[in-house]
Amino acid sequence: MAAAAAGEEVPNKRVVLRRYVTGFPSEDDMEVVTATARLAVPPGSTAMVVKNLYVSCDPYMRGRMTKHERPSYVPDFVLGEVLVNFGVSRVIASGHPDFKVGDLVWGMTGWEEYTLVPKPESFFKINHPELPLSYYTGVLGMPGLTAWAGFFDVGKPKKGDYVFVSAASGAVGQLVGQLAKLTGCYVVGSAGSDEKVNLLKTKFGFDEAFNYRKEQDLDAALRRYFPEGIDIYFENVGGPTLEAVLSNMRNHGRIPVCGMISQYNLEQPEGVHNLFQIVAKRLRMEGFMVFDYFSEYYKFEEEMVGYLKEGKISYVEDIAEGLEKAPAALIGLYSGRNVGKQLVAVARE
């Protein structure tokens, strides 16, 4: 690419954080601005410059929009700086021996058109460009690996287990349910609209699903769907759902804790009042982080690609077009506006 070789400066649209957030975030906490990007790497460096094709919207980003007195597990975003998250990109300049101009990659990139990546070692090469590239923000990216590692390594499923998944139509939940069915489990999911419930039963093959917004009594709903109790609860929401689940777990049940989206925008997180159930039922409730499993990524990728090509796993995406739409797309996650994996198309090739 001659332009890249010349190291010319080009306009670079980007999404920056305008102010730190307390409570529910709004679109104007972020701003779309135009800066410039240089399409070359500094001489002698092992950096790369990428053109971003898709960027992912993920619930954990909410925590990075708050100023923490005590450091969180991921650093806070910096005011006036570009937001960063996982994305799919094409390499347009590289000083790194493992990454060549033209390579398709996914990793932690900027919410912008072009990003200078100082440490390309954190990126993964895309081995299956014959599948939709957007899948590498979802089913073949961080959420897919999250579902696979959390369900199999933390959940330790056995054939015949009773499995409950909350936020079941989201980026991770839709995959956990399908992996559970492939393992021979009975699977029920909860979601926040009738459209999503229908998707869970018809497209993703859940045995049952319910709209939690229509249930006055979550405990009663779970007793209805799990008269014999729950072996594995894949935890995505926290709060009252977790409390209802604890009362309905079976002895020696497992709870992989992936996230707690119902709590992210609360000034004061809700308590859970029946934690003694963990003792009484000998439960194992364990949090996990996807980056602890990055060393297993290529093994996961081949397994998931197989399921996709055999039609054993379906994936639903909600794609916003253009960086201008990114702030609204991110905010929509916290009210459940998205149907399936939320991402933003920055540049379609």
Side-chain angles (χ1 to χ4, degrees), residues 5 19 61 82-83 121 123 128 131 185 190 241 243 256 264 267 315 331-332:
R19 56 175 164 263
M61 294 176 72
V82 70
L83 273 63
E121 303 79 40
F123 274 66
H128 290 276
L131 290 166
C185 301
S190 64
T241 301
E243 190 160 309
Y264 296 165
E267 303 271 341
Y315 202 60
I331 301 305

Side-chain angles (χ1 to χ4, degrees), residues 9-282:
E9 290 215 336
V10 295
N12 188 25
K13 201 180 291 172
R14 54 199 335 219
V15 182
V16 301
L17 187 65
R18 284 181 64 191
R19 56 175 164 263
Y20 286 116
V21 179
T22 50
F24 209 90
S26 67
E27 285 180 51
D28 60 358
D29 293 327
M30 294 164 272
E31 185 176 17
V32 181
V33 300
T34 301
T36 58
R38 185 178 287 283
L39 303 185
V41 295
S45 90
T46 56
M48 67 181 180
V49 178
V50 297
K51 177 183 181 182
N52 296 313
L53 307 179
Y54 297 96
V55 292
S56 178
C57 298
D58 295 294
Y60 88 94
M61 294 176 72
R62 172 62 187 82
R64 303 190 70 178
M65 299 171 82
T66 293
K67 186 77 183 143
H68 288 90
E69 297 307 314
R70 261 186 204 165
S72 178
Y73 69 98
V74 279
D76 300 340
F77 289 137
V78 178
L79 290 185
E81 293 285 329
V82 70
L83 273 63
V84 295
N85 193 24
F86 296 98
V88 172
S89 318
R90 187 179 287 282
V91 178
I92 58 172
S94 175
H96 196 285
D98 296 341
F99 295 95
K100 306 277 180 280
V101 171
D103 281 354
L104 288 163
V105 295
W106 75 270
M108 191 62 80
T109 192
W111 273 28
E112 57 191 346
E113 293 174 282
Y114 301 96
T115 300
L116 173 68
V117 179
K119 294 196 175 77
E121 303 79 40
S122 65
F123 274 66
F124 296 100
K125 279 194 178 166
I126 287 177
N127 290 318
H128 290 276
E130 71 278 9
L131 290 166
L133 290 177
S134 55
Y135 276 14
Y136 283 88
T137 67
V139 58
L140 293 174
M142 182 275 284
L145 183 61
T146 300
W148 182 78
F151 184 62
F152 289 118
D153 189 60
V154 185
K156 301 205 173 5
K158 301 182 299 296
K159 188 178 178 188
D161 276 350
Y162 297 113
V163 176
F164 177 51
V165 185
S166 53
S169 70
V172 175
Q174 55 175 297
L175 293 171
V176 172
Q178 292 178 87
L179 291 171
K181 287 306 297 174
L182 288 173
T183 308
C185 301
Y186 172 82
V187 188
V188 179
S190 64
S193 75
D194 292 346
E195 178 193 7
K196 293 177 181 180
V197 167
N198 186 46
L199 205 58
L200 292 173
K201 293 201 281 196
T202 57
K203 185 149 183 96
F204 301 138
F206 283 61
D207 294 290
E208 288 289 349
F210 64 89
N211 181 346
Y212 69 85
R213 295 181 204 267
K214 288 187 166 176
E215 297 291 343
Q216 296 306 304
D217 183 343
L218 279 174
D219 182 64
L222 291 173
R223 281 203 305 275
R224 195 164 74 236
Y225 290 109
F226 294 101
E228 296 179 41
I230 299 165
D231 292 297
I232 298 175
Y233 169 46
F234 198 95
E235 166 67 305
N236 287 313
V237 302
T241 301
L242 174 59
E243 190 160 309
V245 167
L246 285 171
S247 302
N248 285 280
M249 291 295 290
R250 301 174 81 178
N251 287 348
H252 304 288
R254 286 84 68 204
I255 304 177
V257 184
C258 177
M260 295 192 170
I261 197 170
S262 73
Q263 305 300 297
Y264 296 165
N265 298 306
L266 302 179
E267 303 271 341
Q268 201 57 49
E270 294 168 306
V272 174
H273 302 89
N274 56 347
L275 288 174
F276 189 76
Q277 296 282 355
I278 296 173
V279 181
K281 294 175 172 169
R282 290 79 99 195

